[in-house]
Amino acid sequence: MVVLQLIQAVEQASEPAQLVAAVQALVAVKDKSAISTLIAVLGYNNPTAAIAAVAGLIELGTDSVQPLMEQLDEYNYGARAYSIRALAAIGDPHALELFLESAATDFAPSVRRSAAKGLGTLHWQQLDPEQVYPAWQKAMQTLLSISSDGDWSIRYAAIVGLQALANIPELAAQIKIHFDLQIQTESDREVRSRIIWAQQVLSQV
Amino acid sequence: MVDSSPEAVTPLTEESAIASLQQEDLSLRYYAAWWLGKFRIRTKAAVNALIVALADEDHRTELGDYPLRRNAARALGKLGDRSAIPSLIQSLECSDFYVREAAAQSLEMLGTTAAIPALKLLLKDGVEATKQVTGRPHAVEPCEAVIEALGSLGATETVPLIEPFLNQPIVKVQYAALRALYQLTQNDAYGQRLVNALNGNDVKLRRVALTDLGAIGYLPAAEAIAKCAVESSFKLIALKGLLAHLASEANLSESAIEIMSLMDSLL
C-alpha cells in the first residue's frame, strides 16, 4: 500500500482501535512523508495511538526533529509532552533551547518532566565544538534550578536529567555535590530514593 | 455585592481566615474553611475554629445541606491535628451525605482506629447503602470513602462487612472493596482484580484502579501500571505509591530499582 493511502487511513479512522491500527501500519513503512501525520496523531487524545506515533517519529530520527519543533502544539499540553518525549529520545541538540524553556516555564508538569529528562541525554557531539561547553552549562543550570520545584515529579525528573549529565566528566563533580546537598533537604522519601540510586550509579563510574 | 467565587475574594492571612469563620457573610466563612485546609494552617486557633464550624447551623441550603461543615471536615483531615477526631466522628452522623463523606476521608487521613465503630455503622444495611437517593446525585451512604477508610485503618473485623460490596453494581465501590480487602487480608486475588481493571474500557475507572493500586502498594502491578492507557502523571503517582510501601531507602532493593526504572521511562 502506498504511504498516501496509509496516511488517509489514519486521517479517516473513526474508532479508537481503528486509529491505533492505522498508525501502526503507517509507522511500519518508515517513510519520511508520514512525519506530519504522526505529529498530528499526538493531539488526538488517544494514548495508545500517540505512543505508537512517538515510536515511529523516534525511529525516523533526525528527519523528525525540525517538523516536531515547528508543529509543537501550543494549545494542547498532552500533544506537547509527546513531542518533547520524541525529541528527547532522538537527542538532537537543536532542541536544547526548547527543552530549557519547557523544563523551566511550561505550565504542564508532563511537558516539564519530558524536557528535564531530555536535557540529560542530548547528543552534544553534534554541536559545533565552541557551543558544547555553554550548552552543558545551560542544561545543568536549568536542571539544578528546577530540582527545588514544589512538584515532586519535577524534582524527580530533574534528578534523572542530572544523573545523565553527570556522565560528562566536566560536570560530574558539581552534580555529585548537588545530590549530597539535595538529599539532606529533600522532603519526599521516594524522591530521596531516586537520589540514592543516582548516587550509587555515579559512584560506580 | 459579594461574589461567592474564591477568585473574587481578597487574599487571606492566617488571622483573617480564622476571623472570617466567625463573619456574617456565609460565603466568606465557606471560603476561609477551604483556605485553611488548602494552605495547611496547623495552628490551634485554626483547628479550633474549624471544629466549631463542624457544628455550624447558619449555613444551610434549601435541601438542608451544610456547605460550611463539608469544607471544615475536609480541611481538618489535611491539618493532621488529632483533637479534631471526636468532632469528625460525630460528623459521620450528619444528615448531609457530603459531610459524612468528608468526615470519613479525613478520619482515614488522621489514621484513627477510634473511628472504626462509627464507620461500621454507616455500612450496617449492607449493599443497600449503595442505592441512589431519589432526586439526589449520591447514594444513601458514602460507601467508597467508608470502605477505603476501614481498609486503611486496618479494621480486619470488617472483612465480612465489606465482602458483599464486591458484588454490587457500582464499579468504584467494587474497587474500594478490593482495595480494602487487600489491605485487610493481603490476599493476592484482590490485588489481581485491580490489576485486571487497568484494562477496562473507561479511562476514568482505569485512573481509579491506578490510584487504588498505588494506595495499597501492590508490587506485582508495577509493569501493568506502566503500560496502562492513562496519562503518565497518574502512573507516576501510582508507582510512587508502590515505592512508598517498600521498607528501607538507604539500601535500595531490586524491586525499588525496578519501580524507579519504570518511573524514569514515563518521564
Side-chain angles (χ1 to χ4, degrees):
Chain A
M1 215 194 293
V2 292
V3 182
L4 202 61
Q5 281 172 295
L6 292 166
I7 288 172
Q8 277 172 355
V10 170
E11 287 167 351
Q12 288 163 6
S14 53
E15 297 283 321
Q18 203 184 354
L19 177 66
V20 172
V23 171
Q24 285 167 340
L26 180 57
V27 164
V29 296
K30 299 179 190 172
D31 192 300
K32 277 191 265 183
S33 50
I35 288 172
S36 196
T37 307
L38 293 175
I39 294 171
V41 170
L42 307 180
Y44 287 1
N45 193 24
N46 179 325
T48 316
I51 288 165
V54 166
L57 288 162
I58 294 168
E59 201 162 2
L60 290 165
T62 312
D63 290 322
S64 300
V65 173
Q66 207 54 36
L68 272 167
M69 297 209 294
E70 281 166 11
Q71 291 175 51
L72 197 71
D73 194 333
E74 286 174 48
Y75 299 100
N76 179 338
Y77 65 86
R80 209 155 64 240
Y82 287 122
S83 293
I84 304 261
R85 211 170 290 174
L87 286 166
I90 296 166
D92 188 317
H94 285 105
L96 174 65
E97 293 298 328
L98 172 64
F99 285 6
L100 292 171
E101 195 189 328
S102 302
T105 65
D106 204 288
F107 80 90
S110 55
V111 176
R112 299 184 65 196
R113 290 192 297 261
S114 305
K117 185 185 183 188
L119 280 172
T121 50
L122 291 173
H123 300 158
W124 309 103
Q125 71 279 9
Q126 293 174 16
L127 289 171
D128 294 335
E130 72 278 8
Q131 292 177 330
V132 172
Y133 189 77
W136 286 347
Q137 285 299 329
K138 283 190 208 168
M140 182 172 70
Q141 290 309 330
T142 295
L143 289 172
L144 290 176
S145 84
I146 64 169
S147 68
S148 57
D149 195 273
D151 178 337
W152 73 269
S153 73
I154 302 295
R155 301 198 299 279
Y156 186 102
I159 296 160
V160 173
L162 284 167
Q163 181 186 329
L165 270 191
N167 289 312
I168 299 168
E170 288 86 339
L171 305 181
Q174 194 177 343
I175 292 171
K176 285 180 184 174
I177 291 169
H178 171 78
F179 284 152
D180 293 342
L181 290 172
Q182 192 187 348
I183 201 153
Q184 291 173 31
T185 54
E186 175 56 55
S187 57
D188 194 290
R189 186 170 168 271
E190 288 70 58
V191 177
R192 281 203 304 275
S193 293
R194 188 63 188 81
I195 298 172
I196 292 168
W197 188 27
Q199 288 174 320
Q200 285 179 0
V201 172
L202 294 177
S203 71
Q204 286 156 12
V205 177
Chain B
M1 213 183 106
V2 179
D3 192 317
S4 62
S5 72
E7 289 80 12
V9 183
T10 33
L12 292 176
T13 63
E14 190 183 318
E15 289 75 24
S16 71
I18 294 167
S20 292
L21 278 177
Q22 276 109 45
Q23 285 229 348
E24 235 170 88
D25 183 339
L26 294 174
S27 67
L28 260 183
R29 287 197 215 175
Y30 182 75
Y31 174 60
W34 169 82
W35 190 91
L36 289 167
K38 164 80 182 167
F39 293 101
R40 306 284 198 280
I41 308 298
R42 299 174 197 275
T43 60
K44 267 287 159 219
V47 172
N48 290 339
L50 287 167
I51 290 173
V52 171
L54 265 188
D56 170 81
E57 286 290 350
D58 297 337
H59 198 175
R60 296 198 74 174
T61 65
E62 298 106 87
L63 290 164
D65 292 339
Y66 291 97
L68 176 59
R69 291 190 188 188
R70 294 176 187 170
N71 272 5
R74 289 175 192 135
L76 284 165
K78 293 180 183 148
L79 301 189
D81 189 314
R82 299 177 66 84
S83 64
I85 289 170
S87 309
L88 284 168
I89 290 176
Q90 214 161 33
S91 296
L92 291 174
E93 295 171 22
C94 181
S95 58
D96 181 341
F97 172 93
Y98 296 104
V99 174
R100 299 198 297 282
E101 181 179 59
Q105 287 165 339
S106 290
L107 286 162
E108 177 183 8
M109 284 190 239
L110 292 172
T112 172
T113 50
I116 293 171
L119 287 165
K120 277 161 69 177
L121 270 182
L122 296 183
L123 301 185
K124 69 180 186 319
D125 295 329
V127 298
E128 287 297 307
T130 63
K131 294 252 162 74
Q132 178 103 4
V133 176
T134 320
R136 309 275 341 226
H138 60 71
V140 179
E141 293 297 347
C143 297
E144 193 184 343
V146 172
I147 291 170
E148 286 181 3
L150 288 168
S152 296
L153 297 175
T156 43
E157 77 277 17
T158 61
V159 167
L161 191 64
I162 294 172
E163 275 172 338
F165 289 87
L166 292 173
N167 303 313
Q168 52 69 52
I170 316 293
V171 180
K172 280 186 180 185
V173 179
Q174 282 176 29
Y175 292 178
L178 288 170
R179 162 177 169 165
L181 289 169
Y182 179 78
Q183 287 172 315
L184 299 175
T185 65
Q186 299 294 306
N187 181 339
D188 265 327
Y190 300 122
Q192 280 305 322
R193 279 179 63 180
L194 281 173
V195 174
N196 294 341
L198 296 179
N199 295 318
N201 288 325
D202 181 339
V203 67
K204 289 197 199 100
L205 289 174
R206 292 201 296 271
R207 290 188 196 124
V208 175
L210 271 184
T211 309
D212 289 334
L213 286 163
I216 64 176
Y218 188 61
L219 279 183
E223 295 270 352
I225 289 171
K227 283 199 197 113
C228 178
V230 164
E231 300 83 343
S232 63
S233 301
F234 288 90
K235 301 198 261 191
L236 281 172
I237 292 169
L239 288 170
K240 184 173 187 263
L242 263 51
L243 198 53
H245 279 72
L246 294 173
S248 134
E249 62 181 78
N251 300 306
L252 295 175
S253 62
E254 256 176 62
S255 308
I257 290 174
E258 265 174 50
I259 294 167
M260 290 191 284
S261 307
L262 290 170
M263 290 172 76
D264 287 12
S265 75
L266 293 168
L267 298 175

